[in-house]
Coordinates of all heavy atoms in Angstrom, one line a residue:
M414 N -53.9 -13.9 -85.8 CA -54.2 -14.6 -84.5 C -55.2 -13.8 -83.8 O -55.2 -12.5 -83.8 CB -52.9 -14.6 -83.7 CG -53.1 -15.4 -82.3 SD -51.6 -15.6 -81.4 CE -50.8 -16.9 -82.3
N415 N -56.1 -14.5 -83.1 CA -57.2 -13.9 -82.4 C -56.7 -13.2 -81.2 O -56.0 -13.8 -80.4 CB -58.2 -15.0 -82.1 CG -59.5 -14.5 -81.4 OD1 -59.4 -13.6 -80.6 ND2 -60.6 -15.1 -81.8
L416 N -57.1 -11.9 -81.0 CA -56.7 -11.1 -79.8 C -57.2 -11.7 -78.5 O -56.5 -11.6 -77.5 CB -57.1 -9.7 -79.9 CG -56.2 -8.8 -80.8 CD1 -56.8 -7.4 -80.9 CD2 -54.8 -8.7 -80.2
D417 N -58.4 -12.3 -78.5 CA -58.9 -13.0 -77.3 C -58.0 -14.1 -76.9 O -57.7 -14.3 -75.7 CB -60.3 -13.5 -77.5 CG -61.3 -12.3 -77.7 OD1 -61.1 -11.3 -77.1 OD2 -62.3 -12.5 -78.4
F418 N -57.4 -14.8 -77.8 CA -56.5 -15.9 -77.5 C -55.2 -15.3 -76.9 O -54.6 -15.8 -75.9 CB -56.2 -16.8 -78.7 CG -55.2 -17.8 -78.4 CD1 -55.4 -18.9 -77.6 CD2 -53.9 -17.8 -79.0 CE1 -54.5 -19.9 -77.3 CE2 -52.9 -18.7 -78.7 CZ -53.2 -19.8 -77.9
V419 N -54.7 -14.2 -77.5 CA -53.5 -13.6 -77.0 C -53.7 -13.1 -75.6 O -52.8 -13.2 -74.8 CB -53.1 -12.4 -78.0 CG1 -51.9 -11.6 -77.4 CG2 -52.7 -12.9 -79.4
A420 N -54.9 -12.5 -75.4 CA -55.2 -12.0 -74.0 C -55.2 -13.2 -73.0 O -54.8 -13.0 -71.9 CB -56.6 -11.3 -74.0
E421 N -55.7 -14.3 -73.4 CA -55.7 -15.5 -72.5 C -54.3 -16.0 -72.2 O -54.0 -16.3 -71.1 CB -56.5 -16.7 -73.2 CG -58.0 -16.5 -73.1 CD -58.7 -17.8 -73.6 OE1 -58.4 -18.9 -73.2 OE2 -59.6 -17.6 -74.5
V422 N -53.4 -16.0 -73.3 CA -52.1 -16.4 -73.1 C -51.4 -15.4 -72.1 O -50.7 -15.8 -71.2 CB -51.3 -16.4 -74.4 CG1 -49.8 -16.6 -74.2 CG2 -51.9 -17.6 -75.3
W423 N -51.6 -14.1 -72.3 CA -51.0 -13.1 -71.5 C -51.5 -13.3 -70.0 O -50.7 -13.2 -69.1 CB -51.4 -11.7 -72.0 CG -51.1 -10.6 -71.0 CD1 -52.0 -9.9 -70.3 CD2 -49.8 -10.0 -70.7 NE1 -51.3 -8.9 -69.5 CE2 -50.0 -9.0 -69.8 CE3 -48.5 -10.3 -71.1 CZ2 -48.9 -8.3 -69.2 CZ3 -47.5 -9.6 -70.6 CH2 -47.7 -8.6 -69.7
D424 N -52.8 -13.5 -69.8 CA -53.3 -13.7 -68.5 C -52.7 -14.9 -67.8 O -52.4 -14.9 -66.6 CB -54.8 -13.9 -68.6 CG -55.5 -13.8 -67.2 OD1 -55.2 -12.9 -66.4 OD2 -56.3 -14.7 -66.9
A425 N -52.5 -16.0 -68.6 CA -51.9 -17.2 -68.0 C -50.4 -17.0 -67.7 O -49.9 -17.6 -66.7 CB -52.0 -18.4 -69.0
L426 N -49.7 -16.3 -68.5 CA -48.3 -16.1 -68.2 C -47.9 -14.9 -67.3 O -46.9 -14.9 -66.7 CB -47.5 -15.9 -69.6 CG -47.6 -17.0 -70.5 CD1 -46.9 -16.6 -71.8 CD2 -46.9 -18.2 -69.9
R427 N -48.8 -14.0 -67.2 CA -48.6 -12.8 -66.4 C -48.2 -13.1 -64.9 O -47.3 -12.4 -64.4 CB -49.8 -11.9 -66.4 CG -49.6 -10.5 -66.0 CD -50.9 -9.8 -66.2 NE -51.8 -10.3 -65.2 CZ -52.8 -9.6 -64.8 NH1 -53.0 -8.4 -65.2 NH2 -53.7 -10.1 -63.9
S428 N -48.8 -14.1 -64.3 CA -48.5 -14.4 -63.0 C -47.0 -15.0 -62.8 O -46.5 -15.0 -61.7 CB -49.5 -15.4 -62.4 OG -49.4 -16.7 -63.1
H429 N -46.4 -15.4 -63.9 CA -45.1 -15.9 -63.9 C -44.0 -14.8 -64.2 O -42.8 -15.1 -64.2 CB -44.9 -17.0 -64.9 CG -45.8 -18.2 -64.6 ND1 -45.6 -19.1 -63.6 CD2 -47.0 -18.5 -65.2 CE1 -46.6 -20.0 -63.6 NE2 -47.4 -19.7 -64.6
I430 N -44.5 -13.6 -64.4 CA -43.6 -12.5 -64.6 C -43.5 -11.6 -63.3 O -44.6 -11.3 -62.8 CB -44.2 -11.6 -65.8 CG1 -44.3 -12.4 -67.1 CG2 -43.2 -10.4 -66.0 CD1 -45.0 -11.7 -68.2
E431 N -42.3 -11.3 -62.9 CA -42.1 -10.6 -61.7 C -42.9 -9.2 -61.8 O -42.9 -8.6 -62.9 CB -40.7 -10.2 -61.5 CG -39.8 -11.4 -61.2 CD -40.1 -12.0 -59.8 OE1 -40.5 -11.2 -58.9 OE2 -40.0 -13.2 -59.7
P432 N -43.6 -8.8 -60.8 CA -44.4 -7.6 -60.8 C -43.5 -6.4 -61.3 O -44.0 -5.5 -62.0 CB -44.8 -7.4 -59.4 CG -44.9 -8.8 -58.8 CD -43.8 -9.5 -59.5
S433 N -42.3 -6.3 -61.0 CA -41.4 -5.2 -61.4 C -41.1 -5.3 -62.9 O -40.7 -4.3 -63.5 CB -40.1 -5.2 -60.6 OG -39.4 -6.4 -60.8
D434 N -41.3 -6.4 -63.6 CA -41.1 -6.6 -65.0 C -42.3 -6.6 -65.8 O -42.2 -6.6 -67.1 CB -40.3 -7.9 -65.2 CG -38.9 -8.0 -64.6 OD1 -38.3 -6.9 -64.5 OD2 -38.5 -9.1 -64.3
R435 N -43.5 -6.6 -65.2 CA -44.7 -6.6 -66.0 C -44.9 -5.4 -66.9 O -45.5 -5.6 -68.0 CB -45.9 -6.8 -65.0 CG -46.0 -8.2 -64.5 CD -47.2 -8.4 -63.7 NE -47.1 -9.7 -63.0 CZ -47.7 -10.0 -61.9 NH1 -48.5 -9.1 -61.3 NH2 -47.6 -11.1 -61.3
S436 N -44.5 -4.3 -66.5 CA -44.7 -3.1 -67.3 C -43.9 -3.2 -68.6 O -44.4 -2.9 -69.7 CB -44.3 -1.8 -66.5 OG -44.4 -0.7 -67.3
D437 N -42.7 -3.7 -68.5 CA -41.9 -3.9 -69.7 C -42.4 -5.0 -70.6 O -42.4 -4.8 -71.8 CB -40.4 -4.2 -69.3 CG -39.6 -3.0 -68.8 OD1 -40.0 -1.9 -69.0 OD2 -38.6 -3.3 -68.1
A438 N -42.9 -6.0 -70.0 CA -43.5 -7.1 -70.7 C -44.8 -6.6 -71.5 O -45.0 -6.9 -72.6 CB -43.8 -8.3 -69.8
A439 N -45.6 -5.8 -70.8 CA -46.8 -5.3 -71.4 C -46.4 -4.3 -72.5 O -47.1 -4.3 -73.6 CB -47.6 -4.6 -70.4
D440 N -45.4 -3.5 -72.4 CA -44.9 -2.6 -73.4 C -44.5 -3.4 -74.7 O -44.8 -3.1 -75.8 CB -43.7 -1.8 -73.0 CG -44.1 -0.7 -72.0 OD1 -45.3 -0.3 -72.0 OD2 -43.2 -0.2 -71.3
T441 N -43.7 -4.5 -74.4 CA -43.3 -5.4 -75.5 C -44.4 -6.0 -76.2 O -44.5 -6.0 -77.5 CB -42.3 -6.5 -75.0 OG1 -41.2 -5.8 -74.3 CG2 -41.9 -7.4 -76.1
L442 N -45.4 -6.5 -75.5 CA -46.6 -7.1 -76.1 C -47.4 -6.1 -76.9 O -47.8 -6.4 -78.0 CB -47.5 -7.8 -75.1 CG -48.7 -8.5 -75.6 CD1 -48.4 -9.5 -76.7 CD2 -49.5 -9.2 -74.5
T443 N -47.6 -4.9 -76.3 CA -48.3 -3.9 -77.0 C -47.6 -3.5 -78.4 O -48.3 -3.4 -79.4 CB -48.4 -2.6 -76.1 OG1 -49.1 -3.0 -75.0 CG2 -49.1 -1.5 -76.8
N444 N -46.3 -3.3 -78.3 CA -45.6 -3.0 -79.5 C -45.7 -4.1 -80.6 O -45.8 -3.8 -81.8 CB -44.1 -2.6 -79.2 CG -44.0 -1.3 -78.5 OD1 -44.7 -0.4 -78.8 ND2 -43.1 -1.2 -77.6
L445 N -45.6 -5.3 -80.1 CA -45.7 -6.4 -81.0 C -47.1 -6.5 -81.7 O -47.2 -6.7 -82.9 CB -45.5 -7.7 -80.3 CG -45.4 -9.0 -81.1 CD1 -44.3 -9.0 -82.1 CD2 -45.3 -10.2 -80.2
L446 N -48.1 -6.3 -80.9 CA -49.5 -6.3 -81.5 C -49.7 -5.1 -82.5 O -50.2 -5.3 -83.6 CB -50.5 -6.2 -80.4 CG -50.6 -7.4 -79.5 CD1 -51.5 -7.2 -78.3 CD2 -51.1 -8.7 -80.3
I447 N -49.2 -3.9 -82.1 CA -49.3 -2.8 -83.0 C -48.5 -3.1 -84.3 O -49.0 -2.8 -85.4 CB -48.9 -1.5 -82.4 CG1 -49.8 -1.1 -81.2 CG2 -48.8 -0.4 -83.4 CD1 -51.2 -0.7 -81.5
D448 N -47.3 -3.6 -84.2 CA -46.5 -3.9 -85.3 C -47.1 -4.9 -86.3 O -46.8 -5.0 -87.5 CB -45.1 -4.4 -84.9 CG -44.2 -3.3 -84.3 OD1 -44.6 -2.1 -84.4 OD2 -43.2 -3.7 -83.7
H449 N -48.0 -5.8 -85.7 CA -48.7 -6.8 -86.5 C -50.1 -6.3 -86.9 O -51.0 -7.1 -87.2 CB -48.8 -8.1 -85.8 CG -47.5 -8.8 -85.9 ND1 -46.4 -8.6 -85.0 CD2 -47.0 -9.7 -86.8 CE1 -45.4 -9.3 -85.3 NE2 -45.7 -10.0 -86.4
N450 N -50.3 -5.0 -86.9 CA -51.5 -4.3 -87.5 C -52.8 -4.5 -86.7 O -53.8 -4.4 -87.3 CB -51.7 -4.7 -88.9 CG -50.5 -4.3 -89.8 OD1 -50.0 -3.2 -89.6 ND2 -50.1 -5.2 -90.7
Y451 N -52.6 -4.8 -85.4 CA -53.9 -4.8 -84.6 C -54.2 -3.4 -84.2 O -53.3 -2.6 -83.9 CB -53.7 -5.6 -83.3 CG -53.6 -7.1 -83.6 CD1 -52.5 -7.8 -83.7 CD2 -54.8 -7.8 -83.8 CE1 -52.4 -9.2 -84.0 CE2 -54.8 -9.2 -84.1 CZ -53.6 -9.8 -84.2 OH -53.6 -11.2 -84.5
E452 N -55.5 -3.0 -84.2 CA -55.9 -1.7 -83.9 C -55.9 -1.5 -82.4 O -56.3 -2.4 -81.6 CB -57.3 -1.4 -84.5 CG -57.4 -1.5 -86.0 CD -56.6 -0.4 -86.7 OE1 -56.6 0.8 -86.1 OE2 -56.1 -0.6 -87.7
A453 N -55.6 -0.2 -81.9 CA -55.6 0.1 -80.5 C -57.0 -0.2 -79.9 O -57.0 -0.8 -78.7 CB -55.2 1.5 -80.3
E454 N -58.1 0.1 -80.5 CA -59.4 -0.2 -79.9 C -59.6 -1.7 -79.8 O -60.2 -2.1 -78.8 CB -60.5 0.5 -80.8 CG -60.6 2.0 -80.7 CD -60.8 2.4 -79.3 OE1 -61.7 1.9 -78.6 OE2 -60.1 3.4 -78.9
D455 N -59.2 -2.5 -80.7 CA -59.3 -3.9 -80.6 C -58.5 -4.5 -79.4 O -58.9 -5.3 -78.7 CB -58.9 -4.6 -81.9 CG -59.9 -4.2 -83.0 OD1 -61.0 -3.9 -82.8 OD2 -59.4 -4.3 -84.2
I456 N -57.3 -3.9 -79.3 CA -56.4 -4.4 -78.2 C -57.1 -4.0 -76.9 O -57.1 -4.8 -75.9 CB -55.0 -3.7 -78.3 CG1 -54.3 -4.2 -79.6 CG2 -54.2 -4.0 -77.1 CD1 -53.1 -3.5 -79.9
K457 N -57.6 -2.7 -76.8 CA -58.2 -2.3 -75.6 C -59.4 -3.2 -75.2 O -59.6 -3.5 -74.0 CB -58.7 -0.8 -75.8 CG -59.2 -0.2 -74.5 CD -59.8 1.2 -74.8 CE -58.7 2.2 -75.1 NZ -59.3 3.6 -75.2
E458 N -60.2 -3.6 -76.2 CA -61.3 -4.4 -75.9 C -60.9 -5.8 -75.4 O -61.4 -6.3 -74.5 CB -62.2 -4.6 -77.2 CG -63.2 -5.6 -77.1 CD -64.6 -5.1 -77.2 OE1 -64.8 -3.9 -77.4 OE2 -65.5 -5.9 -77.1
A459 N -59.9 -6.4 -76.1 CA -59.5 -7.7 -75.7 C -58.8 -7.8 -74.4 O -58.9 -8.8 -73.7 CB -58.5 -8.3 -76.8
F460 N -58.1 -6.7 -74.0 CA -57.4 -6.7 -72.7 C -58.1 -5.8 -71.6 O -57.4 -5.4 -70.7 CB -56.0 -6.2 -73.0 CG -55.1 -7.2 -73.7 CD1 -55.1 -7.2 -75.1 CD2 -54.4 -8.2 -73.1 CE1 -54.4 -8.1 -75.8 CE2 -53.6 -9.1 -73.8 CZ -53.6 -9.0 -75.2
R461 N -59.4 -5.6 -71.8 CA -60.1 -4.8 -70.8 C -59.9 -5.4 -69.4 O -59.9 -6.6 -69.3 CB -61.6 -4.7 -71.2 CG -62.3 -6.0 -71.2 CD -63.7 -5.8 -71.8 NE -64.3 -7.1 -72.0 CZ -64.1 -7.9 -73.0 NH1 -63.3 -7.5 -74.0 NH2 -64.7 -9.1 -73.1
G462 N -59.7 -4.5 -68.5 CA -59.5 -5.0 -67.1 C -58.0 -5.3 -66.8 O -57.7 -5.6 -65.6
D463 N -57.1 -5.3 -67.7 CA -55.7 -5.6 -67.5 C -55.0 -4.2 -67.4 O -54.7 -3.7 -68.5 CB -55.1 -6.5 -68.5 CG -53.7 -6.9 -68.2 OD1 -52.8 -6.0 -68.0 OD2 -53.5 -8.1 -68.1
K464 N -54.8 -3.7 -66.2 CA -54.2 -2.4 -66.1 C -52.8 -2.3 -66.6 O -52.4 -1.2 -67.2 CB -54.3 -1.9 -64.7 CG -53.5 -2.7 -63.7 CD -53.7 -2.1 -62.3 CE -53.0 -3.0 -61.3 NZ -53.2 -2.5 -59.9
D465 N -52.0 -3.3 -66.6 CA -50.6 -3.2 -67.1 C -50.6 -3.0 -68.6 O -50.0 -2.2 -69.1 CB -49.8 -4.5 -66.7 CG -49.6 -4.7 -65.3 OD1 -49.2 -3.6 -64.6 OD2 -49.7 -5.8 -64.7
L466 N -51.4 -3.8 -69.3 CA -51.5 -3.7 -70.7 C -52.2 -2.5 -71.2 O -51.7 -1.8 -72.1 CB -52.1 -5.0 -71.4 CG -51.6 -5.1 -72.8 CD1 -50.7 -6.3 -73.0 CD2 -52.7 -4.9 -73.8
L467 N -53.2 -2.1 -70.5 CA -53.9 -0.9 -70.9 C -53.0 0.4 -70.7 O -53.1 1.3 -71.5 CB -55.2 -0.8 -70.2 CG -56.3 -1.8 -70.6 CD1 -57.5 -1.7 -69.7 CD2 -56.6 -1.8 -72.0
K468 N -52.2 0.3 -69.6 CA -51.3 1.4 -69.4 C -50.3 1.5 -70.5 O -49.9 2.6 -70.9 CB -50.7 1.3 -68.0 CG -49.7 2.4 -67.6 CD -49.2 2.2 -66.2 CE -48.2 3.3 -65.9 NZ -47.6 3.1 -64.5
A469 N -49.7 0.3 -70.9 CA -48.8 0.3 -71.9 C -49.4 0.8 -73.3 O -48.7 1.5 -74.0 CB -48.3 -1.2 -72.1
L470 N -50.6 0.4 -73.5 CA -51.3 0.9 -74.7 C -51.5 2.4 -74.7 O -51.2 3.1 -75.7 CB -52.6 0.1 -74.9 CG -53.4 0.5 -76.1 CD1 -52.7 0.2 -77.4 CD2 -54.8 -0.2 -76.1
S471 N -51.9 2.9 -73.6 CA -52.1 4.3 -73.4 C -50.7 5.1 -73.7 O -50.7 6.1 -74.3 CB -52.6 4.6 -72.0 OG -52.7 6.0 -71.8
G472 N -49.7 4.5 -73.1 CA -48.3 5.1 -73.3 C -47.9 5.1 -74.7 O -47.4 6.1 -75.3
Y473 N -48.2 4.0 -75.4 CA -47.9 3.9 -76.8 C -48.6 5.0 -77.6 O -48.1 5.6 -78.5 CB -48.2 2.5 -77.4 CG -47.9 2.4 -78.8 CD1 -46.7 1.9 -79.3 CD2 -48.9 2.7 -79.8 CE1 -46.4 1.8 -80.6 CE2 -48.6 2.6 -81.1 CZ -47.4 2.2 -81.5 OH -47.1 2.1 -82.9
M474 N -49.9 5.1 -77.3 CA -50.7 6.0 -78.1 C -50.3 7.5 -77.8 O -50.2 8.3 -78.8 CB -52.2 5.9 -77.7 CG -52.8 4.5 -78.1 SD -52.5 4.1 -79.9 CE -53.5 5.3 -80.7
K475 N -49.9 7.8 -76.6 CA -49.4 9.1 -76.3 C -48.1 9.4 -77.0 O -47.9 10.5 -77.6 CB -49.3 9.3 -74.8 CG -50.6 9.5 -74.1 CD -50.3 9.6 -72.6 CE -51.7 9.7 -71.9 NZ -51.5 9.8 -70.4
E476 N -47.2 8.4 -77.0 CA -46.0 8.6 -77.7 C -46.2 8.7 -79.2 O -45.5 9.5 -79.9 CB -45.1 7.3 -77.4 CG -43.7 7.4 -78.1 CD -42.9 6.2 -77.7 OE1 -42.8 5.9 -76.5 OE2 -42.3 5.7 -78.7
H477 N -47.1 8.0 -79.8 CA -47.4 8.0 -81.2 C -47.9 9.4 -81.6 O -47.6 10.0 -82.6 CB -48.4 6.9 -81.6 CG -48.7 6.9 -83.0 ND1 -47.8 6.4 -83.9 CD2 -49.8 7.2 -83.7 CE1 -48.3 6.5 -85.1 NE2 -49.5 6.9 -85.0
E478 N -48.8 10.0 -80.7 CA -49.3 11.3 -81.0 C -48.2 12.4 -81.0 O -48.2 13.3 -81.8 CB -50.4 11.7 -80.0 CG -51.7 10.9 -80.2 CD -52.7 11.2 -79.1 OE1 -52.5 12.0 -78.3 OE2 -53.8 10.5 -79.2
I479 N -47.3 12.2 -80.0 CA -46.2 13.2 -80.0 C -45.4 13.1 -81.2 O -45.0 14.1 -81.8 CB -45.3 12.9 -78.7 CG1 -46.1 13.2 -77.4 CG2 -44.0 13.6 -78.8 CD1 -45.4 12.7 -76.2
E480 N -45.1 11.9 -81.7 CA -44.3 11.8 -83.0 C -45.0 12.4 -84.1 O -44.4 13.1 -85.0 CB -44.0 10.3 -83.2 CG -43.0 9.7 -82.3 CD -42.8 8.2 -82.5 OE1 -43.3 7.7 -83.4 OE2 -42.1 7.6 -81.7
E481 N -46.3 12.2 -84.2 CA -47.1 12.9 -85.3 C -47.0 14.4 -85.2 O -46.8 15.0 -86.2 CB -48.5 12.4 -85.3 CG -48.7 11.0 -85.7 CD -50.2 10.6 -85.7 OE1 -51.0 11.3 -85.2 OE2 -50.5 9.4 -86.1
D482 N -47.1 14.9 -84.0 CA -47.0 16.4 -83.8 C -45.7 16.9 -84.2 O -45.6 17.9 -84.9 CB -47.3 16.7 -82.4 CG -48.8 16.5 -82.0 OD1 -49.6 16.4 -82.9 OD2 -49.0 16.5 -80.8
E483 N -44.6 16.2 -83.9 CA -43.3 16.6 -84.3 C -43.1 16.6 -85.8 O -42.5 17.5 -86.3 CB -42.2 15.7 -83.6 CG -42.1 15.9 -82.1 CD -41.2 14.8 -81.5 OE1 -40.7 14.0 -82.2 OE2 -41.0 14.9 -80.3
D484 N -43.7 15.6 -86.5 CA -43.6 15.6 -87.9 C -44.3 16.8 -88.5 O -43.8 17.4 -89.5 CB -44.2 14.3 -88.5 CG -43.3 13.1 -88.2 OD1 -42.1 13.3 -87.8 OD2 -43.9 12.0 -88.2
E485 N -45.5 17.1 -88.0 CA -46.2 18.3 -88.5 C -45.4 19.6 -88.3 O -45.4 20.4 -89.1 CB -47.6 18.4 -87.8 CG -48.6 17.3 -88.2 CD -49.8 17.3 -87.4 OE1 -50.0 18.3 -86.6 OE2 -50.6 16.4 -87.5
D486 N -44.7 19.7 -87.1 CA -44.0 20.9 -86.9 C -42.8 21.0 -87.9 O -42.5 22.1 -88.4 CB -43.3 20.9 -85.5 CG -44.4 21.1 -84.4 OD1 -45.5 21.5 -84.7 OD2 -44.1 20.7 -83.2
E487 N -42.2 19.9 -88.3 CA -41.1 20.0 -89.3 C -41.7 20.5 -90.6 O -41.0 21.3 -91.3 CB -40.6 18.6 -89.5 CG -39.7 18.1 -88.4 CD -39.2 16.7 -88.6 OE1 -39.2 16.2 -89.8 OE2 -38.9 16.0 -87.6
Y488 N -42.9 20.1 -91.0 CA -43.4 20.6 -92.3 C -43.8 22.1 -92.2 O -43.7 22.8 -93.2 CB -44.6 19.8 -92.7 CG -44.3 18.3 -93.0 CD1 -44.8 17.3 -92.3 CD2 -43.4 18.0 -94.1 CE1 -44.4 16.0 -92.6 CE2 -43.0 16.7 -94.4 CZ -43.6 15.7 -93.6 OH -43.2 14.4 -94.0
E489 N -44.2 22.5 -91.1 CA -44.6 23.9 -90.9 C -43.4 24.8 -91.0 O -43.5 26.0 -91.5 CB -45.3 24.1 -89.6 CG -46.7 23.5 -89.6 CD -47.4 23.6 -88.2 OE1 -46.9 24.3 -87.3 OE2 -48.5 23.0 -88.0
E490 N -42.2 24.4 -90.6 CA -41.0 25.2 -90.6 C -40.5 25.4 -92.0 O -39.9 26.4 -92.3 CB -40.0 24.6 -89.7 CG -40.3 24.6 -88.2 CD -39.3 23.9 -87.4 OE1 -38.2 23.5 -88.0 OE2 -39.5 23.8 -86.2
D491 N -40.8 24.4 -92.9 CA -40.2 24.5 -94.3 C -40.8 25.6 -95.1 O -41.8 26.1 -95.1 CB -40.4 23.2 -95.0 CG -39.5 22.1 -94.4 OD1 -38.5 22.5 -93.8 OD2 -39.8 20.9 -94.6

């Protein structure tokens, strides 16, 4: 599915999501896109200007880096 279309759908539906729930919705959409093999840079480009989704993507990337670091530490201890 084209990310530009997904961004349009998100934009159309976002106003129907309570502001207090948008962060969770953005996290869910970000995880779904990553799980379906969309690249972070492509997501960032398609959703440029959407602070909720970009914040969710940033959080995902930070979390992912932490997990990679923890895996590296496990190997160093062995």
Side-chain angles (χ1 to χ4, degrees):
M414 182 175 286
N415 184 318
L416 277 176
D417 291 330
F418 177 68
V419 175
E421 283 185 53
V422 171
W423 169 254
D424 191 48
L426 295 176
R427 196 173 69 152
S428 63
H429 300 284
I430 301 170
E431 292 291 326
S433 60
D434 294 331
R435 284 186 191 153
S436 178
D437 288 338
D440 286 340
T441 300
L442 180 56
T443 298
N444 287 322
L445 184 65
L446 292 172
I447 296 289
D448 289 347
H449 283 86
N450 299 318
Y451 287 99
E452 297 292 327
E454 286 301 315
D455 295 335
I456 296 169
K457 187 185 290 186
E458 168 120 1
F460 291 88
R461 63 189 171 277
D463 187 301
K464 62 182 177 180
D465 292 316
L466 202 114
L467 293 177
K468 183 176 179 184
L470 180 60
S471 177
Y473 179 91
M474 296 308 294
K475 287 179 183 176
E476 183 178 312
H477 184 70
E478 289 175 5
I479 290 170
E480 290 176 5
E481 287 180 357
D482 291 342
E483 289 174 357
D484 290 342
E485 289 175 10
D486 289 343
E487 288 178 20
Y488 294 119
E489 289 177 7
E490 291 175 7
D491 290 338

